Amino acid sequence: CWRTNWAFTWHPSLKPHPERYPHRNAYAAGSKDRDSAEYMMRKMEEKGVGDAIWLKVEYQTFRRLEKNPDCVLFSIRTFVDPLTTLETMPEAAKYLAANISAVEKVDFRKYLGLDDEAVRERIKLHLESISLSR
C-alpha cells in the first residue's frame, strides 16, 4: 500500500531549519500570523516564486512484515526540488495549481502554509502560468 504527500518549504534542507516552514514558527518577525505571510511574500518578490519555494513530495509505503504479520513497516522517501523544476513539467504544475484550489476552503491549508490568500494566489498564479506556457 502506498500514498503520496506534498507541501511547500521555504528552505531546501530536510533538516530542521527556522526558514523551512515560516508559517509554522515565529521566525519571520515574532508572529505566526501576518508577519510570516509578509516574510513569504517578500521572499517571493526578492527571488521570484520559482526560486523562493521548494516542493517537498513524499512517497510513503506500508508493508506488512512477512515473518511477523502483526507488524507493519512504514517508510517515507522524500524529494525536495525547487519549484522551478516544474517549468519543464507544465502538466504537473497544472495539477498542483488545482490541488491548491482544492484546499482553499479547508483547514488543512494552514498545515501547507496556504492559509494566507495573497501567498496562495501568488503561488497558484505562478503554477498556472507554467501550465499555459507549453
Side-chain angles (χ1 to χ4, degrees):
C1 177
W2 63 271
R3 68 182 185 191
T4 59
N5 191 12
W6 66 271
F8 294 118
T9 68
W10 298 80
H11 193 275
S13 177
L14 288 175
K15 297 177 182 176
H17 191 280
E19 285 185 42
R20 190 168 169 200
Y21 301 111
H23 56 283
R24 295 186 197 167
N25 64 49
Y27 174 78
S31 169
K32 291 185 182 179
D33 298 333
R34 192 68 207 156
D35 292 334
S36 62
E38 289 172 8
Y39 167 80
M40 291 186 277
M41 289 297 287
R42 186 173 58 250
K43 193 164 181 182
M44 287 188 286
E45 288 170 15
E46 290 171 0
K47 294 185 166 197
V49 177
D51 289 321
I53 304 170
W54 285 264
L55 178 62
K56 181 179 87 167
V57 177
E58 295 177 347
Y59 177 73
Q60 304 172 348
T61 64
F62 303 88
R63 297 181 187 149
R64 187 164 306 281
L65 298 180
E66 194 173 305
K67 292 186 179 182
N68 191 350
D70 293 337
C71 297
V72 175
L73 175 66
F74 175 64
S75 65
I76 302 174
R77 172 67 169 111
T78 305
F79 302 88
V80 178
D81 291 299
L83 203 57
T84 55
T85 303
L86 292 180
E87 291 172 4
T88 62
M89 297 178 262
E91 193 76 12
K94 175 181 152 186
Y95 288 120
L96 187 53
N99 269 295
I100 291 171
S101 293
V103 300
E104 284 179 359
K105 296 187 182 356
V106 296
D107 286 338
F108 189 67
R109 73 183 184 279
K110 282 186 173 186
Y111 174 80
L112 295 172
L114 297 172
D115 54 324
D116 183 84
E117 185 177 1
V119 170
R120 185 176 62 243
E121 290 303 314
R122 183 82 179 268
I123 296 169
K124 194 165 69 167
L125 182 65
H126 178 75
L127 293 168
E128 289 169 346
S129 71
I130 292 172
S131 70
L132 296 173
S133 68
R134 292 190 183 206

